[in-house]
Amino acid sequence: MSASTQVAITGAAGQIGYQLAFRIASGQLLGHGQSITLRLVEIAPAMQALEGVAMELEDCAFDSLEEVVATDRLEEGFRGADYVFLVGAKPRGPGMERSDLLTENARIFSRQGAVLNEHADEHAKVLVVGNPANTNALIASSNAPDMDPRNFSAMTRLDHNRACAQLAARTGHHVSTVRRMTIWGNHSATQYPDLSQATVDGKAATSLVESNWARGEFITTVQQRGASVIKARGTSSAASAANAAIEHMRDWAHGTPGGDWVSMAVPGDGSYGSPEGVFFSYPVRCEDGDWEIVRGLDLDEFSQEKIRITGEELLDERAAASDLM
């Protein structure tokens, strides 16, 4: 095997982190020939649970797993990290306003960004999963001045996958035939799932579905899917979120399938009327460990307005957390 790759996961004893750790250790992120060191990070009260996770990982006897580091110290958890999954975040509690959630998580992610800057590999790929993911990515990046902001992204791949699944079900096709789906903007209820550029088995999606469904039920179903999962199972998405995180990072590292694109929240550059200075989800293609926003798409007024709405929310979030950037 090649030299061990350092993969850090925060919130590693939580539901998403737990799912992530075993799939990464089994080789699903970088391939079975790549040796992995997992650097699992938790808060002090969760360390006993994290030790149990470490025991289970050892008991799996994965060929790809070189070592497990379980710690409540960010400095140790991020040391030499090549890939970082920032999963742990403060959840929204009863009576908590979104602004309160932003403030609490701003403190967490500003600290994480600063420690990444000092201890992670300077070329580390950092994926923010913990919500509010887009703004948490902005905060972490702004506190890591020696790291390229392009090395940070926030996850909208779960929304992307949900949108692909909804379109496939509506058209009676397998999800593998869906291509060129896009999630624009924020990982929130303002996100814009856009099938206007999508194809199903090589045919334009807009020719296969009703316009009122594409601009109505389809969008709201994807926007509210997380809440629907919580209502059904009593807790938030875990396995599907972990799956999306692995797919996001794997495509970022190894490249997107030829001709297709995926959705990633990356530093906004004003493309398609999006705001600059926030992390905004675009259609992107990945190659050689880097990403590029897909250019030249023709968007109608409906799409432009949706992009404006979700962009304004991200600007409001940035203002609310500005003191820690």
Side-chain angles (χ1 to χ4, degrees), residues 46-264:
M47 280 305 296
Q48 183 174 343
L50 187 61
E51 291 296 339
V53 175
M55 290 180 196
E56 283 199 82
L57 284 162
E58 180 181 355
D59 293 346
C60 287
F62 289 121
D63 290 343
S64 300
L65 185 58
E66 180 74 20
E67 183 183 5
V68 177
V69 176
T71 182
D72 61 357
R73 296 183 64 251
L74 288 174
E75 294 81 359
E76 184 177 11
F78 292 161
R79 185 172 296 128
D82 301 296
Y83 297 90
V84 181
F85 294 83
L86 298 182
V87 179
K90 184 176 180 64
R92 190 168 183 170
M96 181 182 286
E97 298 294 332
R98 186 172 177 83
S99 59
D100 299 327
L101 183 69
L102 282 164
T103 301
E104 291 292 330
N105 279 294
R107 297 190 182 99
I108 294 170
F109 284 83
S110 60
R111 167 71 175 151
Q112 291 180 350
V115 177
L116 282 167
N117 193 69
E118 294 298 320
H119 294 278
D121 185 274
E122 64 177 325
H123 302 298
K125 288 178 168 54
V126 182
L127 171 59
V128 177
V129 178
N131 288 318
N134 296 54
T135 299
N136 287 342
L138 177 64
I139 293 164
S141 173
S142 67
N143 282 275
D146 298 328
M147 297 178 69
D148 190 336
R150 291 179 62 89
N151 288 5
F152 288 79
S153 64
M155 190 175 83
T156 53
R157 184 59 173 268
L158 178 54
D159 309 301
H160 180 104
N161 289 348
R162 287 166 169 167
C164 289
Q166 291 300 314
L167 178 58
R170 186 71 174 187
T171 60
H173 286 75
H174 192 270
V175 72
S176 63
T177 66
V178 176
R179 298 166 69 87
R180 297 173 41 145
M181 182 63 71
T182 304
I183 303 295
W184 299 95
N186 199 5
H187 174 63
S188 75
T190 69
Q191 65 174 264
Y192 172 41
D194 176 18
L195 56 69
S196 68
Q197 311 294 321
T199 63
V200 182
D201 199 21
K203 299 176 183 177
T206 53
S207 70
L208 302 174
V209 298
E210 306 89 342
S211 176
N212 61 347
W213 179 83
R215 295 188 171 194
E217 182 183 341
F218 166 70
I219 293 173
T220 56
T221 297
V222 177
Q223 289 174 335
Q224 298 171 11
R225 187 68 166 186
S228 298
V229 170
I230 292 172
K231 183 177 180 180
R233 67 185 296 262
T235 188
S236 59
S237 305
S240 57
N243 176 72
I246 288 173
E247 289 185 340
H248 176 122
M249 192 73 88
R250 187 172 60 218
D251 285 347
W252 190 3
H254 296 301
T256 47
D260 201 3
W261 62 63
V262 293
S263 302
M264 290 172 56

Side-chain angles (χ1 to χ4, degrees), residues 277-316:
V278 299
F279 274 67
F280 195 92
S281 183
Y282 300 98
V284 304
R285 291 191 176 101
C286 302
E287 185 177 4
D288 297 329
D290 201 1
W291 54 263
E292 289 294 338
I293 297 169
V294 176
R295 308 293 179 182
L297 301 181
D298 185 18
L299 301 182
D300 60 19
E301 290 184 6
F302 178 87
S303 295
Q304 292 171 23
E305 175 64 8
K306 292 293 186 181
I307 287 171
R308 184 193 65 78
I309 291 169
T310 193
E312 286 187 351
E313 181 182 53
L314 283 166
L315 290 173
D316 288 344

